[in-house]
Amino acid sequence: MAHETKQNLAREFAAIVGDDEVMTGETDLHAYSYDAAVLDPVVPSYVVRPQTTEALGQIVRLCNENGLPLTVRGAGTNLSGGTIPHPGGVVVLTNRLNRILEINEEDLYAVVEPGVITSRLAAEVASRGLFYPPDPGSQTVSTLGGNVAENAGGLRGLKYGVTKDYVMGIEFFDVDGTLVKGGSRTVKCVTGLNLPGLMVGSEGTLGVFSKIILKLIPPPRAARSMMAVFGTIKAASETVAAIIAAKIVPATLELMDNFTIRTVESFRKAGLPTEAAALLLIEVDGHPAQVEDEAVQVERICRENGAEDLTVARDSAERDIIWQARRDALPALAKLKPSCVLEDATVPRSKIPAMIEALTEISKEYNLPIGTFGHAGDGNLHPTILTDRRDKVEWQRVEQAITAIFERAVQLDGTLSGEHGIGIAKARFMEREVGAGTLAYSRRLKMAVDPKNILNPGKMV
Amino acid sequence: MAHETKQNLAREFAAIVGDDEVMTGETDLHAYSYDAAVLDPVVPSYVVRPQTTEALGQIVRLCNENGLPLTVRGAGTNLSGGTIPHPGGVVVLTNRLNRILEINEEDLYAVVEPGVITSRLAAEVASRGLFYPPDPGSQTVSTLGGNVAENAGGLRGLKYGVTKDYVMGIEFFDVDGTLVKGGSRTVKCVTGLNLPGLMVGSEGTLGVFSKIILKLIPPPRAARSMMAVFGTIKAASETVAAIIAAKIVPATLELMDNFTIRTVESFRKAGLPTEAAALLLIEVDGHPAQVEDEAVQVERICRENGAEDLTVARDSAERDIIWQARRDALPALAKLKPSCVLEDATVPRSKIPAMIEALTEISKEYNLPIGTFGHAGDGNLHPTILTDRRDKVEWQRVEQAITAIFERAVQLDGTLSGEHGIGIAKARFMEREVGAGTLAYSRRLKMAVDPKNILNPGKMV
């Protein structure tokens, strides 16, 4: 882009949001050139931060008029490159659009702007005796707009579902900057196409969110956390399937393999059993009597399936130790090597034992350390490959291992991504899973609402 | 259409599905010219019944090649005209595509063809100790394909959600007859656009379903049903809000007004209190101890809000009496007059008292009998206007009353339709609720995937 054009556009952005909210300096641009995925950075031409949704709409319109690629960014915690901008494009920050507009205790919903941080909403509704369940790993920094764009999951997905299950309504700007509304403040709504459903997980490719209506629920009255120790990872993964088969749906049912356990323990001395082949971290919740019953059953199933030890948290301090260990998994693994590729292949939960076996083989075959942990209860494992992206020879093996993980997951009736998104990272695998017809259909939808392809181009479809 | 062309096309359909499955006789065509909505019938040119999904795809392609409007029909229980065909168009019946392809007890999902009857799936999964909650009023005849196309609700929507909340994956033919897949057999899936979300509630306008993957859950271990009698409808509707505000989410929380009570009682002598201004029919379910607790609380809240009497069902026979009364509401009202317009305006649940008040006023203002019953717990009332469509003067008042109901619902932060769909019946109100921008966006999506507008034209967008 010619220097003069660039200056002119910067002035036009500034006319909308004010001089202080348009960044074009090299340092600023570099700060927004990457996200949490292991991918090459792409430097945008502008970073713009609207303070009102009206300004947001005007920015979208200006970008479209000038054919400028636009990538909306919340906290940039994306693990598939969904917030990496397009060369020469605009990064639109939502962190000033961070008002909780309404928490309706009678009708159990909240209305938020897209830049509200997930855990802030969760805390705010908790203080009023309500519950917003989706809890992605990045919840203390991630934004609700980002959660909706990526259909973020989390530890409670098994029982409580994912972000998709909580979006009652949405308002967004189409590419012309016209406001579009879908859904409602009512529990049931079939007025018009299910645009909230379409927007969830659309990775910023179909519109720019300005307002989100989220469902709230009453919180569980009681909860109990447990940690079960297994001598083989097979026994642990079979236990997961056995718990579900017994028609118990824990709030959380997480697995950590030995590699992850040892790494977490050396990261924070929490007293984890470093000799264990695998741990299951389990929380059941609900009515106190139900929690009591289910805890007994879960313990029995664990022991029947070979658990060598089982600890039940007696108080909230002990409970925190269990869940801190789980939350430490990614940061602890990430410290071991310069690059940490967090995979997200997902299978029906009964196929977890087969998937675990496949991961062990893939780790051997490509001679790569793979730490595996994740949401075993919903079949969503996070095999984590530790590597150094600068080592080109090893990186080739990493790419082969990623392909092998994906192929095995699909063979097992699974899917490419459970919760991290397709973004740039996995776009090349899409067709193999969904077929050419599905991609063509999706592209027709995309082109219809974004003919110049300026809304987060290059992502997903 | 020229007679010869029509004959040729009939032969082409017959080449796909066989002679016996193509109907062009007047009697047959008339049988598929209407559905359960109070609207003028439209006679199609062909009725075609494929026996395989391959044939279904070929029919879609043939229709598109010839620009023939295509309306898919399950059981035709639609209440908004969604299954009324287009003049000269084709009705495609799904009742032979009725195989339950898989019930996976380990991974808690079912895979079905679109013509499977809702209650058949529910019974089949119940026999294996699982639960498919959506229970639209028409469940004993309605099909799952129709349920998905309309995002059907039901009595359990309050606690268990609606059809949308159970669609994990879908396969459908695009207008060219190419197979498109969305979603997965996994609990979490973010691979590609959320096409299952887009298809739910799309009223047959975006694709023709061939296969649906539905989520199953473990059934509640216990349930208790109650009937509370109120001296004023205001007290009953305030009780609804009070129960939710106490953070109790009953499985079902239904209201019937005096007019409906009397009509149901004269339809089937069940011993209902015909003097009552309103009844609340309530079921709490879950763990036995939770049911016990919640039943006590619900009873207390009912009495505190002025319930004059409260009966708890002591056994399944007494429980059946309560729910049969609720299921009788529509057929009983429908018998009173030649036409029965079942409205579907929905408001946030705390606005139920205000909506009930509005309905009383509207009934007086337009001098029309309106029986009100419905899913009070989720704000989804069914004010039912009894009339005779042939009485043109009265019908004008009916149309005015419908408009007044809609306008009041939207003023109360509500929506045009909670679960019956937009179809033909409510298409004219759409813009007033969602705005021109939303309609334009939806139409762009529609035209992108159906450029000749053959997929259920005239419905919704």
Side-chain angles (χ1 to χ4, degrees):
Chain A
M1 196 183 308
H3 181 69
E4 203 182 328
T5 317
K6 194 171 165 184
Q7 291 288 71
N8 285 342
L9 279 168
R11 270 193 292 274
E12 290 198 57
F13 282 124
I16 299 170
V17 296
D19 286 338
D20 293 350
E21 304 297 355
V22 180
M23 291 162 256
T24 52
E26 206 169 323
T27 320
D28 286 327
L29 297 179
H30 272 281
Y32 297 105
S33 65
Y34 58 89
D35 62 15
V38 183
L39 291 165
D40 293 328
V42 175
V43 178
S45 289
Y46 315 85
V47 175
V48 182
R49 182 159 48 198
Q51 307 215 16
T52 65
T53 52
E54 293 69 30
L56 179 67
Q58 289 167 27
I59 288 166
V60 177
R61 176 193 289 267
L62 185 62
C63 287
N64 192 44
E65 283 171 356
N66 291 279
L68 273 179
L70 177 164
T71 297
V72 178
R73 184 184 178 100
T77 54
N78 195 290
L79 287 158
S80 53
T83 34
I84 294 181
H86 204 69
V90 183
V91 170
V92 177
L93 302 179
T94 60
N95 54 338
R96 293 283 163 89
L97 303 170
N98 62 353
R99 289 180 303 162
I100 297 175
L101 301 168
E102 183 184 357
I103 294 179
N104 193 312
E105 297 176 48
E106 284 185 295
D107 293 323
L108 305 184
Y109 66 80
V111 185
V112 299
E113 291 185 330
V116 172
I117 289 171
T118 315
S119 61
R120 191 183 136 219
L121 177 72
E124 195 67 50
V125 305
S127 75
R128 300 176 191 211
L130 290 171
F131 186 30
Y132 176 69
D135 58 345
S138 52
Q139 60 179 328
T140 56
V141 290
S142 72
T143 64
L144 290 163
N147 293 173
V148 173
E150 298 292 325
N151 189 13
L155 269 66
R156 298 195 189 102
L158 176 56
K159 179 167 183 173
Y160 291 102
V162 295
T163 304
K164 173 178 77 172
D165 301 302
Y166 293 87
V167 181
M168 290 169 67
I170 198 158
E171 290 185 15
F172 61 92
F173 292 107
D174 74 7
V175 81
D176 300 321
T178 304
L179 195 63
V180 178
K181 295 177 189 183
S184 164
R185 283 172 163 78
T186 58
V187 181
K188 288 174 173 173
C189 174
V190 294
T191 303
L193 291 176
N194 179 14
L195 297 179
L198 180 62
M199 288 299 125
V200 172
S202 61
E203 302 192 350
T205 62
L206 302 178
V208 175
F209 309 157
S210 59
K211 200 190 272 187
I212 305 160
I213 306 175
L214 294 166
K215 176 177 156 179
L216 307 174
I217 61 174
R221 284 176 50 195
R224 191 167 303 164
S225 297
M226 291 166 263
M227 184 167 78
V229 179
F230 291 87
T232 68
I233 193 156
K234 189 158 180 282
S237 59
E238 284 169 357
T239 303
V240 171
I243 291 170
I244 306 293
K247 302 196 169 59
I248 298 168
V249 182
T252 307
L253 178 43
E254 299 284 312
L255 179 142
M256 284 167 69
D257 71 358
N258 176 265
F259 188 85
T260 309
I261 299 166
R262 281 186 288 119
T263 309
V264 168
E265 184 58 23
S266 71
F267 179 79
R268 185 195 308 265
K269 306 285 171 229
L272 296 185
T274 51
E275 297 307 304
L279 290 179
L280 287 184
L281 312 178
I282 309 163
E283 181 160 296
V284 290
D285 71 5
H287 186 280
Q290 175 192 350
V291 167
E292 192 65 43
D293 280 5
E294 290 188 354
V296 169
Q297 286 183 72
V298 167
E299 180 164 350
R300 181 181 48 74
I301 293 168
C302 285
R303 295 206 188 273
E304 282 172 5
N305 282 273
E308 294 169 355
D309 193 19
L310 193 138
T311 328
V312 178
R314 282 162 305 183
D315 52 34
S316 68
E318 288 188 7
R319 183 184 173 207
D320 288 348
I321 289 172
I322 292 177
W323 298 112
Q324 189 60 52
R326 168 60 185 82
R327 276 189 289 270
D328 282 343
L330 181 57
L333 287 166
K335 275 185 73 178
L336 290 186
K337 287 268 201 145
S339 311
C340 163
V341 179
L342 186 63
E343 274 307 305
D344 184 35
T346 303
V347 293
R349 34 205 157 193
S350 67
K351 307 285 175 63
I352 284 273
M355 192 67 208
I356 290 277
E357 212 172 295
L359 290 169
T360 310
E361 282 162 23
I362 290 166
S363 171
K364 271 186 208 149
E365 184 176 346
Y366 297 99
N367 188 25
L368 291 165
I370 303 185
T372 293
F373 65 97
H375 321 302
D378 45 31
N380 181 199
L381 293 176
H382 294 317
T384 304
I385 306 174
L386 304 175
T387 178
D388 182 344
R389 210 189 161 176
R390 295 161 301 188
D391 177 343
K392 293 217 170 94
V393 177
E394 185 169 285
W395 186 253
Q396 262 192 341
R397 293 205 313 277
V398 171
E399 294 206 317
Q400 287 163 352
I402 293 172
T403 307
I405 291 170
F406 161 62
E407 281 174 352
R408 192 73 189 112
V410 170
Q411 277 166 11
L412 292 168
D413 275 342
T415 186
L416 191 46
S417 180
E419 60 182 12
H420 292 169
I422 299 299
I424 298 171
K426 296 189 168 182
R428 71 194 156 103
F429 294 116
M430 275 279 288
E431 184 168 337
R432 268 197 271 175
E433 180 174 332
V434 302
T438 305
L439 269 191
Y441 188 92
S442 304
R443 285 181 183 140
R444 283 198 289 272
L445 294 172
K446 159 74 172 168
M447 291 312 292
V449 298
D450 180 20
K452 294 183 188 169
N453 193 25
I454 66 145
L455 295 174
N456 214 12
K459 311 300 157 28
M460 192 154 61
V461 288
Chain B
M1 194 184 305
H3 180 69
E4 203 181 330
T5 317
K6 196 174 163 182
Q7 291 288 73
N8 285 342
L9 278 168
R11 270 193 291 275
E12 291 197 54
F13 282 124
I16 298 169
V17 297
D19 286 337
D20 292 351
E21 304 296 355
V22 181
M23 290 162 257
T24 53
E26 208 169 322
T27 320
D28 286 327
L29 297 179
H30 272 281
Y32 297 104
S33 66
Y34 58 90
D35 62 15
V38 184
L39 292 165
D40 293 328
V42 176
V43 179
S45 290
Y46 315 85
V47 176
V48 183
R49 181 160 49 198
Q51 308 216 17
T52 64
T53 52
E54 292 69 28
L56 179 67
Q58 290 167 26
I59 289 166
V60 177
R61 175 192 290 267
L62 184 63
C63 287
N64 192 44
E65 283 171 356
N66 291 280
L68 274 179
L70 176 163
T71 297
V72 178
R73 184 185 179 100
T77 54
N78 195 289
L79 287 158
S80 54
T83 34
I84 294 182
H86 205 68
V90 183
V91 170
V92 177
L93 303 179
T94 60
N95 54 337
R96 293 282 163 90
L97 303 170
N98 62 353
R99 289 180 303 162
I100 297 175
L101 300 169
E102 183 184 356
I103 294 178
N104 193 312
E105 296 176 48
E106 284 185 295
D107 293 323
L108 306 185
Y109 66 79
V111 185
V112 299
E113 290 185 331
V116 172
I117 289 171
T118 315
S119 62
R120 191 182 136 219
L121 177 71
E124 195 66 52
V125 304
S127 75
R128 300 175 192 212
L130 291 170
F131 186 30
Y132 176 69
D135 59 345
S138 53
Q139 59 179 329
T140 55
V141 289
S142 72
T143 64
L144 291 162
N147 292 173
V148 174
E150 299 292 324
N151 190 12
L155 269 67
R156 299 195 189 103
L158 176 56
K159 179 168 183 175
Y160 291 102
V162 296
T163 304
K164 173 177 76 172
D165 300 302
Y166 294 86
V167 181
M168 291 168 67
I170 198 157
E171 290 185 16
F172 61 92
F173 292 107
D174 74 7
V175 81
D176 300 320
T178 303
L179 195 65
V180 178
K181 296 176 190 186
S184 163
R185 284 170 161 78
T186 58
V187 181
K188 289 174 173 173
C189 174
V190 293
T191 304
L193 292 175
N194 180 14
L195 297 179
L198 179 62
M199 288 299 126
V200 171
S202 61
E203 301 192 352
T205 62
L206 302 178
V208 175
F209 309 158
S210 59
K211 199 190 272 187
I212 305 159
I213 306 175
L214 294 166
K215 175 176 155 180
L216 307 174
I217 62 174
R221 284 176 49 197
R224 190 168 303 165
S225 297
M226 291 165 264
M227 184 166 77
V229 179
F230 291 86
T232 68
I233 193 156
K234 188 159 181 282
S237 59
E238 285 169 357
T239 303
V240 170
I243 290 170
I244 305 293
K247 302 194 169 60
I248 298 168
V249 182
T252 306
L253 178 43
E254 299 284 312
L255 179 142
M256 284 166 70
D257 70 358
N258 176 265
F259 187 84
T260 310
I261 299 165
R262 282 186 288 118
T263 309
V264 167
E265 184 59 21
S266 71
F267 179 79
R268 185 194 309 264
K269 306 286 170 226
L272 297 184
T274 52
E275 297 307 304
L279 290 180
L280 287 184
L281 312 178
I282 309 162
E283 182 161 295
V284 291
D285 71 5
H287 186 280
Q290 176 191 348
V291 167
E292 193 66 43
D293 279 6
E294 290 189 352
V296 169
Q297 285 183 72
V298 167
E299 182 165 349
R300 181 180 49 73
I301 294 168
C302 284
R303 294 201 189 278
E304 281 172 5
N305 282 274
E308 294 170 355
D309 193 19
L310 192 138
T311 328
V312 178
R314 282 162 304 181
D315 52 35
S316 69
E318 288 188 6
R319 182 183 175 209
D320 287 348
I321 289 171
I322 292 177
W323 297 112
Q324 188 60 50
R326 169 60 185 82
R327 277 188 289 269
D328 282 343
L330 181 56
L333 287 166
K335 274 186 72 178
L336 289 187
K337 287 268 201 146
S339 311
C340 164
V341 179
L342 186 65
E343 274 306 306
D344 185 37
T346 302
V347 294
R349 36 205 156 193
S350 68
K351 308 285 175 62
I352 285 273
M355 191 67 207
I356 290 276
E357 213 170 296
L359 290 170
T360 309
E361 283 162 23
I362 290 166
S363 171
K364 272 186 209 149
E365 186 176 345
Y366 298 97
N367 187 27
L368 291 165
I370 303 185
T372 293
F373 65 95
H375 320 302
D378 46 31
N380 181 200
L381 294 175
H382 295 317
T384 304
I385 307 173
L386 303 175
T387 180
D388 182 345
R389 209 189 162 176
R390 295 160 302 185
D391 177 343
K392 293 217 170 96
V393 177
E394 185 171 283
W395 186 253
Q396 264 192 339
R397 295 207 311 279
V398 171
E399 293 207 317
Q400 288 164 351
I402 293 172
T403 306
I405 291 171
F406 160 64
E407 282 175 351
R408 192 71 189 115
V410 171
Q411 277 167 11
L412 292 168
D413 274 342
T415 186
L416 192 46
S417 180
E419 59 182 13
H420 293 170
I422 299 299
I424 298 171
K426 296 190 169 182
R428 70 195 157 104
F429 294 115
M430 275 280 289
E431 184 167 338
R432 268 196 270 174
E433 179 174 334
V434 302
T438 305
L439 268 192
Y441 188 91
S442 304
R443 286 182 182 139
R444 284 198 290 272
L445 294 173
K446 160 74 173 169
M447 291 312 293
V449 297
D450 181 19
K452 295 183 187 170
N453 194 26
I454 67 145
L455 295 174
N456 215 12
K459 311 301 156 30
M460 191 154 62
V461 288

